[in-house]
Amino acid sequence: MTADQQKSRTVMRAVVLREFGAPLRVEEIDRPTAGAGQVLVRVVASGVNPLDTKIQAGAAPHARVRPPAVLGLDLAGVVAAVGAGVTGFDPGDEVYGLTGGVGDLQGSLAEYAAVDARLLARKPRSLSLREAAALPLAVITSWEGLVDRAGVHAGQKVLVQGGAGGVGHVAVQLARARGAEVYATGAPSSLPAIESLGAVPIDYTTTSVEEYVARHTAGEGFDIVADNVGGATLDASFAAVRTYHGHVVSALGWGSHSLAPLSFRGATYSGVFTLLPMLTGTGREHHGEILREAAGLADAGALRPRLDPRHFTLDTVTDAHNVVAGGTAAGKVVVDVGHATPQ
């Protein structure tokens, strides 16, 4: 074995954040090994979320990242090795998960990642690894809100705020898969995408809350409102929910909001903090369970991510972040990290 071959077994390329707000750098760092309860994944693709760009900028203290750090929340790849005590995964399995990039967990913008096996699931058979990398954060956030908190089911009317967004387009599909009648807000340019997902599109720029509640629910309000925008949109959600039995869920309830509109309707609210199991270590099994359920939905034709057509690599991660931060993505941005088979 040559010296270069020996080195390739102990180091890897990764995107490293040295300080908040500084440019991301591709560096060679030590390759991790799978500890007890962990799976070593050869990363093929890494999904980019708005949260990734906020972490880089130092605008996400709730993610508890301390530079130097490898960013990247979502991954899809191939199992390279399993640690002691791990069952259910074998080398060669194609997997996906929301596995790192927060707290002290190494992110997915690296050639390899040693991750908690509880956070992983086998990827959907019907999706490529690039497609699978687009799903974890979005599907877990949507599931925790719509299923775990709100109990979405057939016969309900569900409003998804921001229905063409990274989380929103998954929430639309999940609610429809559970039998709900789905409506979704968006800007004019996003309405065709919303309609293609099977939801009734609502142009929030030209239609007031009162107007669309009257038009689509006869003034009763929606049984569930899933907010994926926050700010004033969360306030609008409080006014759009059904009287007495309605439920609002949001992963972006960071601001100061008056609960009076919600209280006057006798409705309820739940917050979703998707990162909590990753930061605390508690409840990680449920993330794996959700991803297994999502894989079943995808293979049944009920769930498919919208991907931005552009391709990015570790060397062009900054471009990928700029697309997401600038709001110009036409679907989920995915970074190509490696190959499905070793090169």
Side-chain angles (χ1 to χ4, degrees):
M1 183 181 296
T2 67
D4 286 343
Q5 288 173 324
Q6 289 178 325
K7 182 180 179 183
S8 70
R9 290 177 176 268
T10 59
V11 301
M12 65 178 181
R13 298 178 78 234
V15 175
V16 179
L17 175 69
R18 285 290 168 183
E19 59 181 275
F20 293 124
L24 296 171
R25 296 164 42 179
V26 179
E27 301 181 8
E28 283 193 343
I29 64 174
D30 291 339
R31 180 193 294 190
T33 57
Q38 291 185 323
V39 172
L40 181 66
V41 178
R42 182 165 50 78
V43 182
V44 173
S46 171
V48 183
N49 300 280
L51 179 56
D52 292 296
T53 67
K54 293 175 183 176
I55 291 172
Q56 179 192 357
H62 59 287
R64 304 178 198 168
V65 173
R66 289 179 296 181
V70 176
L71 302 188
L73 299 162
D74 293 328
L75 69 69
V78 180
V79 174
V82 297
V86 173
T87 59
F89 297 106
D90 295 299
D93 288 344
E94 294 185 327
V95 295
Y96 75 136
L98 173 65
T99 59
V102 298
D104 60 357
L105 303 178
Q106 182 211 299
S108 56
L109 289 172
E111 293 177 320
Y112 288 85
V115 305
D116 190 325
R118 296 173 294 173
L119 296 171
L120 286 175
R122 285 189 177 87
K123 80 161 183 68
R125 295 185 302 275
S126 59
L127 300 184
S128 68
L129 285 163
R130 287 193 84 245
E131 290 172 318
L135 282 176
L137 176 65
V139 80
I140 292 171
T141 301
S142 298
W143 190 284
E144 289 186 342
L146 288 168
V147 180
D148 294 344
R149 308 294 197 279
V152 62
H153 57 78
Q156 291 181 312
K157 288 190 174 184
V158 173
L159 174 67
V160 176
Q161 303 279 26
V167 175
H169 86 284
V170 171
V172 167
Q173 295 176 80
L174 178 57
R176 291 192 72 241
R178 306 277 297 188
E181 184 179 334
V182 184
Y183 302 77
T185 61
S189 61
S190 68
L191 300 184
I194 289 171
E195 190 168 20
S196 73
L197 295 170
V200 176
I202 299 172
D203 183 350
Y204 76 90
T205 68
T206 60
T207 312
S208 69
V209 175
E210 294 76 17
E211 287 172 335
Y212 64 68
V213 167
R215 180 180 307 163
H216 299 299
T217 73
E220 294 285 333
F222 295 90
D223 297 291
I224 300 171
V225 182
D227 165 47
N228 301 299
V229 182
T233 303
L234 180 53
D235 293 322
S237 300
F238 291 159
V241 72
R242 186 180 182 88
T243 302
Y244 294 126
H245 304 295
H247 197 91
V248 176
V249 294
S250 178
L252 291 168
W254 307 121
S256 298
H257 300 271
S258 171
L259 295 179
L262 189 72
S263 299
F264 290 151
R265 301 180 79 84
T268 53
Y269 168 79
S270 291
V272 175
F273 187 27
T274 315
L275 306 183
L276 197 58
M278 301 164 72
L279 294 171
T280 65
T282 301
R284 290 182 178 180
E285 297 88 348
H286 189 45
H287 277 199
E289 292 168 355
I290 292 170
L291 292 172
R292 287 191 288 275
E293 293 281 353
L297 290 177
D299 289 337
L303 176 63
R304 195 167 195 90
R306 293 178 61 240
L307 294 190
D308 186 282
R310 288 166 284 193
H311 284 254
F312 302 93
T313 67
L314 292 182
D315 295 308
T316 58
V317 162
T318 296
D319 295 332
H321 274 220
N322 288 341
V323 167
V324 173
T328 61
K332 188 68 174 283
V333 171
V334 175
V335 174
D336 300 316
V337 179
H339 299 273
T341 56
Q343 300 297 297

